[in-house]
Amino acid sequence: MNLYDHPDLLIELTPEWTGERYPDGRPKVSDSLLQRLSHLKLEEVYMPLYAMGYKYQFEGDMKIVHPGKKMIGRAVTAIMVPTRPDIHRTMLEYGRNQEHRKGFFNQWVIESMVEGDILVADMFDRIYGGTYVGGNLSTAIMAHTKTGGAVIWGGIRDLEQIVGVEGFQCYYRGVHPTPVGDVMMTGMNMPTRIGQAICMPGDVVIGTIEGIVFLPAHLAETVAQIAEKTRVKDMFGFERLATKTYESSEIDQTWWDRRMMEDFIEWFHTSEKAKDFQYLDWSEEMAHCDDPQTTRRLDGIYLEKLV
């Protein structure tokens, strides 16, 4: 038996992911896809998720160590709860003696992280004694992941030191000088709640000045394509609105008529602004110009009625 590593269970919990996985079972979204997603705005990523029924993937009620620094990576999750002595002793001793882990629960998670990971820890919104990381462990996260990042529904300590850890970003609820204590870990790399959002191990974690989005791994490619199309259409729309070529009521539609789409396609292939998006295919949008009855769609994805 293994208390904290369950790759077989994680594979069962993420059946819609068909790509590469880490040894611990987490989906491994490619670095190239992370790079594409890193250029997108939070709303561009979140709105396709919301439309597809993933309504609880955002949390914005958090503080940020570096508000101007964007964060992106793959989730490693941890669930912490208040201490109950008998369970605490059993889990701590088992982890140390049977799984050969060193230190305390939070260190176990950080020591498991690899390049590109982001720590996502539910500390049940505890600040006093709920300081999941300080200066040392933030430095350790940076060393393990290279990119450095953490989302903690709880506290941190040593904020002055953390600010000085180059490249490290952290979303957290509050600061307190007390060390972490009277807590225990009941789950590692399991479904985890952060405020009003849910995160699965391997989700793409995207943090901006607005908050955090947890993007399910199996939807990352689809969402990236939808978001990129939204971005390019916005570029075109802003230009045409500025020149009064179209009214806002015309631009602000999911699907454009043939006249607008032909204008857009010509712009798309000639504008310097669109040169980095030439891999996008607009055949479905063009075909829709002759199919005005289809109205409940969002950039190539059929959607169910929102409830």
Side-chain angles (χ1 to χ4, degrees):
M1 183 183 73
N2 203 324
L3 286 177
Y4 292 110
D5 284 327
H6 305 281
D8 292 339
L9 176 59
L10 191 48
I11 291 170
E12 291 293 327
L13 290 175
T14 54
E16 295 181 68
W17 173 258
T18 58
E20 184 180 357
R21 292 181 182 267
Y22 287 103
D24 60 13
R26 290 183 299 136
K28 184 180 181 182
V29 173
S30 69
D31 290 338
S32 60
L33 186 49
L34 290 182
Q35 183 65 22
R36 286 171 61 189
L37 290 164
S38 70
H39 297 296
L40 298 170
K41 295 187 299 182
L42 185 141
E43 288 85 358
E44 292 170 338
V45 174
Y46 176 76
M47 287 311 298
L49 288 175
Y50 184 86
M52 288 185 278
Y54 289 77
K55 300 179 181 180
Y56 303 102
Q57 303 305 126
F58 170 77
E59 178 54 60
D61 191 13
M62 305 189 79
K63 298 178 181 180
I64 314 173
V65 169
H66 298 291
K69 175 180 169 56
K70 198 165 187 176
M71 182 179 74
I72 188 165
R74 308 174 189 90
V76 169
T77 68
I79 303 169
M80 306 293 286
V81 299
T83 292
R84 171 172 153 160
D86 57 339
I87 302 175
H88 183 278
R89 285 192 302 270
T90 298
M91 301 190 85
L92 195 62
E93 290 175 4
Y94 192 95
R96 289 173 175 173
N97 299 329
Q98 302 300 319
E99 299 180 6
H100 309 293
R101 301 180 187 274
K102 298 178 181 180
F104 196 59
F105 295 111
N106 54 341
Q107 294 167 315
W108 297 358
V109 181
I110 292 170
E111 292 299 316
S112 77
M113 298 175 75
V114 297
E115 187 169 349
D117 282 346
I118 289 177
L119 169 69
V120 179
D122 179 10
M123 186 58 86
F124 57 96
D125 208 13
R126 182 173 182 173
I127 311 300
Y128 175 86
T131 51
Y132 198 96
V133 299
N136 288 337
L137 292 187
S138 296
T139 302
I141 290 174
M142 196 68 211
H144 279 271
T145 66
K146 309 302 181 186
T147 49
V151 179
I152 300 170
W153 194 250
I156 63 174
R157 65 194 298 255
D158 301 327
L159 182 56
E160 289 184 88
Q161 291 182 341
I162 291 175
V163 169
V165 179
E166 186 176 355
F168 184 72
Q169 178 63 298
C170 183
Y171 291 72
Y172 62 99
R173 291 283 287 164
V175 179
H176 202 278
T178 52
V180 64
D182 290 330
V183 297
M184 60 186 185
M185 183 167 66
T186 57
M188 177 176 167
N189 280 332
M190 296 294 288
T192 302
R193 183 180 70 88
I194 298 294
Q196 299 299 311
I198 180 135
C199 178
M200 282 292 291
D203 277 3
V204 178
V205 184
I206 302 174
T208 74
I209 194 171
E210 297 173 83
I212 297 288
V213 164
F214 301 112
L215 171 57
H218 69 281
L219 294 176
E221 177 68 42
T222 298
V223 168
Q225 180 174 309
I226 295 173
E228 288 168 341
K229 285 188 172 185
T230 300
R231 168 71 62 85
V232 176
K233 289 176 70 177
D234 281 348
M235 293 176 183
F236 169 81
F238 295 157
E239 283 193 13
R240 292 300 188 262
L241 286 172
T243 59
K244 298 183 179 180
T245 305
Y246 303 116
E247 299 293 333
S248 59
S249 59
E250 296 176 286
I251 290 293
D252 194 20
Q253 297 290 330
T254 299
W255 295 95
W256 293 338
D257 62 28
R258 179 162 292 278
R259 173 179 63 101
M260 289 179 63
M261 275 306 300
E262 288 178 348
D263 184 18
F264 168 74
I265 293 299
E266 181 179 357
W267 172 90
F268 177 73
H269 290 302
T270 58
S271 174
E272 184 71 15
K273 294 180 180 179
K275 69 176 184 177
D276 293 332
F277 299 93
Q278 292 303 305
Y279 52 84
L280 293 175
D281 177 40
W282 301 93
S283 57
E284 185 172 6
E285 286 78 4
M286 287 299 296
H288 177 72
C289 295
D290 301 317
D291 180 24
Q293 300 303 313
T294 307
T295 58
R296 294 292 296 174
R297 305 210 294 181
L298 176 65
D299 289 339
I301 299 293
Y302 283 91
L303 305 176
E304 298 294 331
K305 182 179 180 181
L306 300 182
V307 295

